[in-house]
Amino acid sequence: MTQALLDARIGYFVRKGLTAKVPSQWQVRVGWLAMLPITLSESERERVRSRSTFMGQVPVRVPLQLLYHPAQGLADTGLTRDARHVVRHLLSVFHEDAFLGYDLQLLESMPGGLSLLSREAQRVVDGTTRWAPYLRRLVGWPTYHADLVRLAEAALQGEYPDPLDLDPRFATLTGFATFCASLPNWPELAFYGFSKESSDVRD
């Protein structure tokens, strides 16, 4: 992860006035540790829906999700990934609407990202991809991919799902960015006396 990448992803929303500043790499890494338990868990609403089919049971679905897209086996913020990675993750892993704000904003920060999600989700709905029957069973909810199309189109207009009772720090990318920017930043090299300027002061 580079600061230039953060400037591109999160700076997009700073320019839109949805968050105040771009956090540093250190702040994002620490923020990610705080978000990780949320990322690896399911809400009660997700659990009820995603496990409604045999293929939706965790011991069955996880190997199949990794077969479809192996890279999603590594949990991260998504900030270093490209749009195709995020889309394949969303197509194969059920997310309740309230959790989708984060990934929708992530795709919005990538040129063509939301349009790609809309197209690929529509292909699953229409059955024009060979993966369609498996993806429908994996997510375990009959309207999920159609909902992705609808939500992607809404996000293109700047409208995001209601986060309901979810932690606002992690329900959207802008919430995460705001949280990260509030964390202490890693001290500059001068703090430890490693920089030339700090050496000059001591001399």
Side-chain angles (χ1 to χ4, degrees), residues 9-29:
R9 295 282 182 268
I10 298 174
Y12 171 86
F13 295 103
V14 172
R15 293 187 290 275
K16 291 188 68 173
L18 296 180
T19 190
K21 61 182 291 189
V22 177
S24 70
Q25 299 170 67
W26 172 256
Q27 289 171 314
V28 169
R29 290 190 177 102

Side-chain angles (χ1 to χ4, degrees), residues 36-94:
L36 186 57
I38 305 298
T39 301
L40 297 178
S41 66
E42 288 181 311
S43 70
E44 186 59 37
R45 293 181 294 267
E46 285 182 319
R47 188 172 296 110
V48 169
R49 294 186 173 193
S50 67
R51 302 185 188 188
S52 62
T53 65
F54 171 74
M55 285 181 64
Q57 306 308 307
V58 173
V60 178
R61 78 181 187 219
V62 171
L64 294 174
Q65 287 163 340
L66 293 177
L67 177 64
Y68 173 69
H69 187 47
Q72 66 183 330
L74 179 62
D76 60 12
T77 62
L79 290 165
T80 62
R81 307 295 187 137
D82 61 20
R84 185 158 295 278
H85 167 85
V86 179
V87 167
R88 289 177 73 85
H89 169 67
L90 290 176
L91 293 180
S92 60
V93 178
F94 179 85

Side-chain angles (χ1 to χ4, degrees), residues 108-203:
E108 184 182 348
S109 73
M110 304 172 182
L114 288 172
S115 296
L116 178 64
L117 174 61
S118 180
R119 288 196 307 272
E120 293 301 313
Q122 189 63 56
R123 291 182 67 205
V124 177
V125 173
D126 296 340
T128 55
T129 168
R130 68 178 183 275
W131 287 99
Y134 305 101
L135 291 172
R136 292 187 196 122
R137 294 188 183 96
L138 272 180
V139 300
W141 194 249
T143 64
Y144 175 71
H145 294 99
D147 290 340
L148 284 181
V149 176
R150 172 179 56 81
L151 291 168
E153 296 298 326
L156 282 167
Q157 305 303 317
E159 300 172 6
Y160 311 109
D162 185 341
L164 301 177
D165 56 349
L166 301 183
D167 190 328
R169 298 175 300 173
F170 309 127
T172 62
L173 180 57
T174 51
F176 178 64
T178 300
F179 166 63
C180 290
S182 73
L183 299 173
N185 204 358
W186 189 256
E188 300 291 338
L189 291 178
F191 179 85
Y192 298 101
F194 293 158
S195 70
K196 181 179 184 303
E197 289 76 10
S198 62
S199 298
D200 291 342
V201 170
R202 286 198 303 271
D203 293 342

